[in-house]
Amino acid sequence: MLSRKAPHPLDGEKKGRGSKCAGSVRSTCRRAALFWTRGVEPLGRLRGRALGWCGALGVLLLFVLPAPSLPHADGDVLPRYRALYEELEHAVQMFARRVSKRRAGTPIFGAELLPANAHRGSALLQPHARHGVVRYLDALRALGVQGVKISIGYPRLSEDDPQREAYLAFYRDVVREIRRRGMRVLIGTGVLIPDETMGVGPYAGMTLERYREARRQLARTIARELRPDYLTIANEPTTEARAIGLYQLAEVKEYLRLVQVVLEGLADVRAGIHIGAGAGNWESVEFIRRYAKMEGVDYVDIHVYPITFGLLDRAAQMVRLARAHHKPVIIGEAWLYKASRSELRWGAASGPIFARDVFSFWAPLDQKFIEALVRWAAAEVIEFLSFFWSTYLFAYLDYTPAHEPLSPARLLQLADAAAAENISRGAMSPTGAYYRALIAGYTSMRSRPSETLGVAPRERGKRYVANAPSSEGAGGRAACDFERAKSPSSQVTITLRFAERGMTRNTWRFRPLPPDLERG
């Protein structure tokens, strides 16, 4: 098990800081300078990871690399994953074929700022944490990333946090560094997964009234002190309900009351900040329908992870609902969740599933997923597109038999070390190179107005951009046509423990809401 206090490669320059991981990762940590702490349970928890910086030569190399092509990796996939690979590849390809070839806009290309994730707890207050953030920002900027997302959940920055001022100082510095690099800032709020070893929860005795007030205070603090470009005040309702232990929040009506209370608390501090709310693509579209009708909600924020059972088409349905009410859309988090239909149905533990990400044979499929979402964002004028597991923009592990007996925690630690080493020498993964090429292709001929969020799609002028590399020869035949796509059955149980990507020991099973709420 990887302790939450275990050091991660590249979080500074100290020597001799041992790891408390199962199987000991001290030799791994010594291979690179220390960067930032993350904790992973055997069945999965926050896999915050990452990375470092690119020196001047590394940055130069990033910009002279040729545009990558997508290899076909079926022959490299482990036999036990071939069926899963083909299932996921088919789902991505079917979605990509329905995406229009037209480019009505170009999103702000983003990535998660993993070193600043609030789940890291007191590790954020260590002397070398800010240095790690700066190096990571430089690495992302070298890839062409234009905006970053930061996850800050209750109780961080709330009046219930005894170290509130220290965390606030850390995040002020982080936002300042982002601004210095000319990047956009998206902050997502929610609740941290209970974890006593990190000083979080359990939230015993929490009431709805108290929680609403705490979330209102958190949003006000972020708006007043950090001034992000985008502030998502609520997302993944079912995940939040489970984490805080207030299951009523999984109901649309009760969650909207929370959103309304937070909105009212922002009335005098929201000037110049776009305020949004959202849901995961595995959750009910009714949340999106209701947000789209709310005054004070400037945009809808959709998280995209699982793709089987038509869940990519559900994400598209969510976009249509927002557009019907002229609400802009952002994709605040996205990554390919490598679970089969049967695993989603029966609630497979997410830790081993997340650990699948580390192997390099997934890279071509990750690239196809990224490209499909980039094309979709351009066709649907999605304002901001951010990919969560940015670790894999820098490194994967090449599978060997020696990996077979390793725990998920150990695999993730090794992937972190590989990414840290690559970043320290200015390298990137094939997926990072591909994302960089897509960004370059879509932005080379773009002329983006300084403000487009809040402008109805019909009022936005078309922006034509240069071609980006494509893994799909045919593309789409018409504007996105998802009218006949079916939502997942209400009998499907989806095991996802996403809330700001913090994980607990116990499996969470979220069942989609009744069919009468899925009309769309």
Side-chain angles (χ1 to χ4, degrees):
M1 179 188 302
L2 178 59
S3 166
R4 291 150 186 81
K5 302 300 181 183
H8 185 281
L10 290 187
D11 200 13
E13 303 297 338
K14 290 185 178 180
K15 296 181 180 180
R17 293 177 60 182
S19 169
K20 299 178 183 178
C21 308
S24 177
V25 294
R26 295 186 182 184
S27 59
T28 301
C29 294
R30 288 170 182 165
R31 289 165 50 197
L34 300 176
F35 179 67
W36 61 288
T37 307
R38 70 148 165 83
V40 179
E41 292 293 340
L43 295 183
R45 185 196 139 30
L46 176 66
R47 284 185 315 156
R49 300 180 294 266
L51 337 293
W53 72 302
C54 296
L57 179 59
V59 175
L60 177 62
L61 289 174
L62 290 176
F63 287 94
V64 299
L65 285 173
S69 60
L70 277 172
H72 186 67
D74 285 357
D76 301 322
V77 177
L78 292 180
R80 66 175 177 271
Y81 292 135
R82 282 176 185 164
L84 172 61
Y85 191 103
E86 292 173 359
E87 179 182 352
L88 297 176
E89 184 176 43
H90 178 74
V92 171
Q93 289 176 341
M94 290 300 100
F95 178 79
R97 289 171 187 170
R98 289 192 289 270
V99 174
S100 173
K101 290 182 179 180
R102 72 185 180 92
R103 294 178 184 171
T106 302
I108 296 168
F109 292 99
E112 187 77 13
L113 189 58
L114 292 172
N117 189 296
H119 278 94
R120 293 189 58 208
S122 60
L124 298 176
L125 307 181
Q126 298 302 311
H128 296 277
R130 300 182 194 195
H131 178 62
V133 171
V134 169
R135 298 170 72 187
Y136 189 60
L137 280 170
D138 287 340
L140 290 177
R141 190 181 180 208
L143 290 178
V145 169
Q146 303 153 350
V148 295
K149 176 178 170 289
I150 307 172
S151 299
I152 306 176
Y154 171 85
R156 297 288 176 259
L157 303 187
S158 74
E159 295 181 3
D160 294 336
D161 189 348
Q163 293 183 295
R164 177 178 183 272
E165 292 303 319
Y167 285 116
L168 190 55
F170 168 79
Y171 282 113
R172 285 196 191 105
D173 286 349
V174 169
V175 172
R176 188 179 303 116
E177 292 294 339
I178 297 169
R179 298 293 190 199
R180 285 180 57 192
R181 288 157 178 77
M183 303 168 83
R184 301 291 185 92
V185 182
L186 163 63
I187 295 180
T189 64
V191 61
L192 301 186
I193 301 300
D195 186 341
E196 295 183 51
T197 64
M198 294 292 286
V200 178
Y203 306 105
M206 181 63 72
T207 64
L208 280 171
E209 183 177 359
R210 179 186 166 196
Y211 185 60
R212 291 190 201 105
E213 177 60 20
R215 292 279 271 104
R216 184 187 72 85
Q217 292 173 359
L218 172 61
R220 280 184 60 83
T221 297
I222 292 173
R224 184 179 62 249
E225 302 292 340
L226 304 183
R227 308 297 300 168
D229 299 293
Y230 307 89
L231 174 57
T232 298
I233 60 174
N235 211 316
E236 301 186 18
T238 56
T239 310
E240 185 169 359
R242 186 79 177 192
I244 195 65
L246 298 172
Y247 298 95
Q248 307 96 309
L249 290 174
E251 301 172 4
V252 174
K253 182 178 180 180
E254 199 60 61
Y255 199 71
L256 289 176
R257 288 186 62 191
L258 169 66
V259 173
Q260 189 60 49
V261 167
V262 176
L263 285 173
E264 291 170 357
L266 292 172
D268 61 332
V269 294
R270 64 178 294 164
I273 302 173
H274 301 300
I275 306 298
N281 69 319
W282 62 95
E283 296 178 307
S284 173
V285 297
E286 185 66 14
F287 288 106
I288 304 302
R289 181 183 287 110
R290 300 290 290 275
Y291 296 146
K293 298 178 181 179
M294 293 184 71
E295 292 187 11
V297 174
D298 297 322
Y299 66 87
V300 168
D301 184 346
I302 300 170
H303 290 182
V304 180
Y305 286 94
I307 66 171
T308 54
F309 287 114
L311 290 175
L312 279 176
D313 291 340
R314 176 179 288 194
Q317 182 185 9
M318 290 175 166
V319 171
R320 292 201 314 276
L321 284 172
R323 289 296 187 216
H325 293 83
H326 310 299
K327 283 281 170 70
V329 177
I330 73 171
I331 305 298
E333 294 182 14
W335 198 258
L336 177 58
Y337 188 64
K338 298 172 180 67
S340 67
R341 291 169 62 93
S342 61
E343 287 171 326
L344 291 178
R345 183 185 296 274
W346 298 110
S350 58
I353 291 175
F354 281 129
R356 293 170 183 171
D357 285 331
V358 306
F359 294 121
S360 58
F361 57 75
W362 294 109
L365 190 53
D366 285 338
Q367 293 161 35
K368 289 182 180 181
F369 175 79
I370 288 173
E371 184 191 352
L373 263 62
V374 167
R375 290 179 51 216
W376 178 47
E380 295 297 323
V381 198
I382 290 171
E383 188 72 20
F384 194 113
L385 173 61
S386 183
F387 292 99
F388 191 86
W389 294 123
S390 48
T391 301
Y392 304 113
L393 299 178
F394 301 106
Y396 294 86
L397 300 179
D398 292 328
Y399 174 82
T400 69
H403 291 121
E404 201 64 39
L406 301 183
S407 69
R410 175 64 164 162
L411 290 171
L412 298 175
Q413 183 76 359
L414 292 174
D416 288 350
E421 187 173 338
N422 272 357
I423 293 171
S424 68
R425 59 188 181 87
M428 57 185 161
S429 73
T431 298
Y434 197 75
Y435 189 36
R436 173 188 166 274
L438 285 169
I439 293 172
Y442 275 80
T443 59
S444 60
M445 296 180 63
R446 179 183 66 182
S447 177
R448 173 181 285 279
S450 60
E451 290 291 331
T452 59
L453 191 61
V455 180
R458 66 182 63 174
E459 298 175 292
R460 294 179 180 168
K462 290 186 177 180
R463 297 190 291 270
Y464 296 93
V465 297
N467 289 330
S470 174
S471 64
E472 300 291 342
R477 288 178 293 181
C480 297
D481 178 13
F482 301 105
E483 294 297 332
R484 291 183 293 276
K486 296 181 179 179
S487 297
S489 166
S490 61
Q491 298 304 311
V492 176
T493 297
I494 302 175
T495 301
L496 300 168
R497 291 173 293 167
F498 282 176
E500 306 308 349
R501 306 299 72 81
M503 309 303 165
T504 62
R505 288 183 176 89
N506 300 319
T507 298
W508 295 4
R509 292 176 173 82
F510 297 136
R511 188 178 297 279
L513 294 181
D516 61 315
L517 295 183
E518 298 297 341
R519 298 188 302 271

